[in-house]
Amino acid sequence: MINLSELTEQIKNVALQTGAFLKEERTRFRRERVEEKNSHDYVSYVDKEAERRIVSYLTQLLPQAGFIAEEGSGSLTDEEYCWLVDPLDGTTNFIHDTAPYCVSIALRNREELLIGVVYEVCRNELFWSWKGAPSFLNGKEIRVSGVDSLDSAFIALGFPYNSQLYKPMALHLVATLYGSVGGLRLQGAAAAELCYIAAGRFEARIEAALDPWDIAAGTLILQNAGGKVTDFRGGEEFITGKEVLATNGVLHGKLLEIVRFN
């Protein structure tokens, strides 16, 4: 039986160590060492080395677990436990020395998420939770906001790299929400932004074409802070990352009506 509280403490240390590496590398980072995975979708030696370190640490903590990690480290067959790792969520922000960017680590079994830890490097903010626990930011319990009006809602959007596929939805969201909500923002780091909803800074975030490692840790942190995450039809397919509506829970129904336009 895994002690989730104790394991979370160890994962927090992994996230903080990785964040320290990212901070140090940012001071000497050179953009000519960036690779383009797909159009406008970047990766650097920093992502790869950060992931290598995380996988090494986590393998020692739970040798029986598999991995789903952004840069392809580890392996996943039919293990009971699985780590979902994004070593540097917000790579484009990191490349341009712009906040936010973060380390995201989650653990799940075959049925559900068990642990979520997100370290937002730029603000030195460590978010965490585990199954059945509250959510925390730097040791203080956090909860979603109680905002129940779209007119007052602060909403984060995500515009994925596959612009041609997502452009109809992006244009629909901007046309529908711009001028009708309290504010719209593009932050560029899904894991951090889910935590921002959990902390009451945003009321919602909307994006598609993500991956499981982008949202796993932030999802558990948000859910345990009172929020809600679904796909654009209100279902559970959000776990694939292909459609993710994350909210404070109060506004979820209203925003589902908007994202179901097609």
Side-chain angles (χ1 to χ4, degrees), residues 68-260:
I68 300 176
E70 180 168 17
E71 306 310 329
S73 299
S75 62
L76 177 64
T77 54
D78 190 34
E79 290 87 352
E80 180 179 0
Y81 298 102
C82 175
W83 297 106
L84 297 100
V85 175
D86 194 338
L88 176 50
D89 185 47
T91 297
T92 301
N93 288 353
F94 177 86
I95 291 169
H96 293 87
D97 199 13
T98 299
Y101 50 85
C102 60
V103 180
S104 178
I105 304 171
L107 177 70
R108 66 168 300 143
N109 60 19
R110 294 189 180 101
E111 290 77 41
E112 59 189 342
L113 290 165
L114 301 175
I115 296 173
V117 175
V118 174
Y119 179 50
E120 204 283 271
V121 178
C122 304
R123 296 180 58 150
N124 193 31
E125 291 187 331
L126 185 64
F127 299 85
W128 74 87
S129 191
W130 65 91
K131 179 186 175 183
S135 294
F136 298 93
L137 163 56
N138 289 349
K140 181 179 179 180
E141 186 174 339
I142 54 176
R143 293 288 296 177
V144 296
S145 79
V147 171
D148 61 1
S149 166
L150 285 178
D151 185 61
S152 301
F154 198 40
I155 296 177
L157 301 180
F159 287 175
Y161 302 114
N162 192 337
S163 58
Q164 292 306 308
L165 179 65
Y166 193 67
K167 188 172 289 185
M169 174 61 81
L171 294 175
H172 166 72
L173 291 175
V174 172
T176 305
L177 297 174
Y178 180 52
S180 300
V181 298
L184 294 174
R185 293 293 185 273
L186 290 170
Q187 298 277 297
E193 292 164 70
L194 293 183
C195 294
Y196 293 170
I197 303 171
R201 297 174 186 168
F202 284 98
E203 276 64 59
R205 188 183 195 278
I206 307 168
E207 188 175 357
L210 293 162
D211 288 291
W213 51 76
D214 293 310
I215 61 166
T219 289
L220 183 64
I221 292 166
L222 175 54
Q223 289 173 334
N224 287 357
K228 187 170 184 177
V229 186
T230 70
D231 59 35
F232 288 175
R233 292 167 298 284
E236 296 294 318
E237 289 301 311
F238 77 90
I239 59 175
T240 67
K242 301 309 178 189
E243 295 179 350
V244 181
L245 172 62
T247 76
N248 65 351
V250 184
L251 291 172
H252 208 86
K254 294 177 182 178
L255 288 168
L256 271 178
E257 294 177 6
I258 292 172
V259 298
R260 283 171 170 160

